[in-house]
Amino acid sequence: EDYLVKTFNLGFEVDLMKGDITKIEADAIVNAANSYLSHGGGVAWAIVRRGGEAIQRESDQYVREHGPVPVGEVAVTGAGSLRAKYVIHAVGPRYGLEGEDKLHSAIRRSLEKAEELGLRSLALPAISTGIYGYPMEVCARVMASVLRSYKPKILEKVIVVLYDDMAYSTFEKVFTREL
Ligand code: AR6
């Protein structure tokens, strides 16, 4: 079961949770996507499995219309049958090929896009730390840095959702030190 584990107050609320992001109640959930929005593995696959194929179809249409999503950028689709209103597909960097600046950008653009959509709450996974190979500690540090410098307009709550104990304890350690 999902349960709230730790809250940080930065003027807006940051919750660290351990669990499955597809089950989180938030206005949007962020997906760790690739540039082609081809949701074949990891959290992307879990989102389509639970939210339905409409998310993949909308993603395919997005890429046909706009071309591939650049690394460090985001694209938005509906959320199918998920509880969220939108999925914000963030394309993170591949470890060794693209740098931390792109991870910073993918996270920051996700927050900005949520605000453009008029949303109050957003759930974020540990982008780039699965198939794309980034160390959990690096992702935690980059996410802390984005959140620390972020000045929200209407966004009230960011829920960072970690899939396992190792990921959770790494984020807790880094966020406690840096937030
Ligand atoms: N809820 C929360 N976190 C999850 C879940 C879940 N249901 N499932 C996995 N994670 P990854 P990437 C964690 O591989 O590294 C896909 O094929 C996982 O443990 O999903 O950015 C895309 O289509 C890890 O810590 O994303 C791209 O091709 C984190 O989510 C590529 O993978 C991210 O792992 C993107 O790779």
Side-chain angles (χ1 to χ4, degrees):
E1 268 307 295
D2 296 318
Y3 51 97
L4 178 63
V5 223
K6 191 155 184 179
T7 297
F8 299 83
N9 198 326
L10 310 185
F12 60 106
E13 181 178 331
V14 175
D15 294 341
L16 274 189
M17 290 184 72
K18 201 190 89 173
D20 178 349
I21 199 169
T22 66
K23 297 181 181 169
I24 299 293
E25 190 154 1
D27 293 337
I29 65 176
V30 174
N31 177 26
N34 58 51
S35 290
Y36 296 95
L37 304 183
S38 166
H39 310 307
V43 69
W45 180 82
I47 286 170
V48 172
R49 188 187 46 162
R50 186 173 291 271
E53 282 298 322
I55 297 173
Q56 184 63 71
R57 281 196 301 274
E58 266 192 66
S59 295
D60 293 342
Q61 189 182 342
Y62 181 96
V63 174
R64 276 197 305 275
E65 285 174 7
H66 302 91
V69 182
V71 179
E73 265 299 333
V74 299
V76 180
T77 67
S81 57
L82 298 177
R83 288 201 272 185
K85 299 190 189 87
Y86 302 98
V87 176
I88 298 175
H89 304 273
V91 181
R94 293 166 293 174
Y95 192 56
L97 289 174
E98 293 127 0
E100 283 178 35
D101 57 316
K102 301 289 189 193
L103 185 52
H104 196 283
S105 166
I107 296 164
R108 191 175 167 91
R109 292 290 302 128
S110 298
L111 300 176
E112 290 169 350
K113 184 58 75 178
E115 303 234 42
E116 276 174 45
L117 293 166
L119 308 183
R120 298 223 164 95
S121 62
L122 178 70
L124 270 171
I127 296 168
S128 289
T129 63
I131 291 160
Y132 282 181
Y134 261 75
M136 199 58 72
E137 172 117 25
V138 174
C139 182
R141 183 164 46 69
V142 171
M143 204 178 286
S145 149
V146 174
L147 292 170
R148 216 174 35 221
S149 64
Y150 195 68
K151 297 280 172 274
K153 292 170 208 79
I154 52 173
L155 200 57
E156 293 169 355
K157 182 155 81 164
V158 175
I159 308 162
V160 181
V161 185
L162 291 323
Y163 206 43
D164 59 31
D165 289 324
M166 186 281 285
Y168 179 79
S169 63
T170 303
F171 268 73
E172 186 186 33
K173 183 187 69 183
V174 172
F175 276 27
T176 301
R177 187 179 69 213
E178 305 201 4
L179 292 186

